[in-house]
Amino acid sequence: MPLNTPEPPGRIRDETRSHLGQIARASGDGPKLLGEIGPDDVEVSAPHRVFALLVRDIEANGGLEMAQPVGWRFLLESGGDVLAGAEISETPERTFPPTFYKSSSVGATATAVKAARALPQLQMAGFDLRLLRIPELYQIALWLHSPNTDLLIPLAPSPIGREGQVTPPPVFFRELTARAQEYRARQPRDREPA
């Protein structure tokens, strides 16, 4: 079975490509994050839904079922090389224009996606590609989701280590719970949980 990259709703992919072109025309030579490559030579690939989980969810013994969708993310590629990422944030009320960026998480995502495609677990079931963020702990993980099971691959840098390693959710959340407790202990006492 393949690693599924679900198509985002509506025209999100087309609008991302269009916005990339608009930035290139406005700047005269293309976004600096693309280097010498023109926006017409860039593939907007590997769409995946972005989910967020808060520390309070982890403290309440919540797992992936508590993660909330917050947008979509793409990899920007040319000639097989990943150049940057594009992210579209969403709320129930609106979809925001894409932001384009280079970061270590973009390269780590590309590496993890390539490794995930070779996992033996994908032979037994199809998995949807997702991204999980726990912003308060600076944790990002590739989330492989199927109706019967989930797998997580923490991306570097990860507060629990395990970068690039397939991690079952119970192990991931057990290790992350300790980081959540450390995080909460550093918060001022009079501050209400977010």
Side-chain angles (χ1 to χ4, degrees):
M1 304 288 300
L3 179 59
N4 302 315
T5 53
E7 193 60 32
R11 296 180 31 84
I12 288 179
R13 184 192 295 259
D14 292 338
E15 288 171 9
T16 300
R17 175 171 288 295
S18 173
H19 198 72
L20 186 61
Q22 289 170 6
I23 292 171
R25 284 189 296 281
S27 69
D29 61 354
K32 296 200 182 317
L33 60 87
L34 299 180
E36 299 297 317
I37 298 166
D40 292 337
D41 297 324
V42 174
E43 180 183 356
V44 178
S45 67
H48 46 283
R49 194 83 195 256
V50 179
F51 290 79
L53 195 63
L54 301 175
V55 164
R56 69 175 179 218
D57 300 325
I58 296 168
E59 291 173 326
N61 294 320
L64 294 172
E65 72 283 353
M66 303 220 21
Q68 297 297 309
V70 295
W72 287 86
R73 188 169 177 241
F74 299 94
L75 299 179
L76 303 179
E77 298 184 61
S78 181
D81 295 327
V82 175
L83 308 171
E87 191 160 326
I88 296 87
S89 297
E90 295 179 305
T91 67
E93 295 79 32
R94 70 179 284 207
T95 300
F96 295 88
T99 56
F100 302 99
Y101 58 93
K102 281 187 175 183
S103 74
S104 60
S105 73
V106 173
T109 299
T111 300
V113 167
K114 186 175 180 179
R117 291 187 191 283
L119 290 173
Q121 292 93 324
L122 265 64
Q123 303 309 313
M124 296 177 269
F127 286 85
D128 285 345
L129 178 62
R130 295 178 171 183
L131 189 82
L132 176 67
R133 277 204 182 110
I134 304 159
E136 296 151 307
L137 302 179
Y138 303 101
Q139 175 67 67
I140 302 175
L142 206 61
W143 175 7
L144 307 179
H145 170 73
S146 79
N148 300 321
T149 190
D150 291 291
L151 300 171
L152 295 164
I153 303 173
L155 301 180
S158 170
I160 64 169
R162 298 181 167 274
E163 289 97 342
Q165 299 176 36
V166 175
T167 306
V171 173
F172 180 85
F173 285 107
R174 182 178 63 239
E175 295 183 12
L176 211 53
T177 296
R179 300 305 170 271
Q181 291 167 346
E182 292 167 5
Y183 168 83
R184 188 60 70 205
R186 291 190 307 268
Q187 300 306 304
R189 293 264 184 232
D190 60 341
R191 184 173 168 191
E192 286 293 314

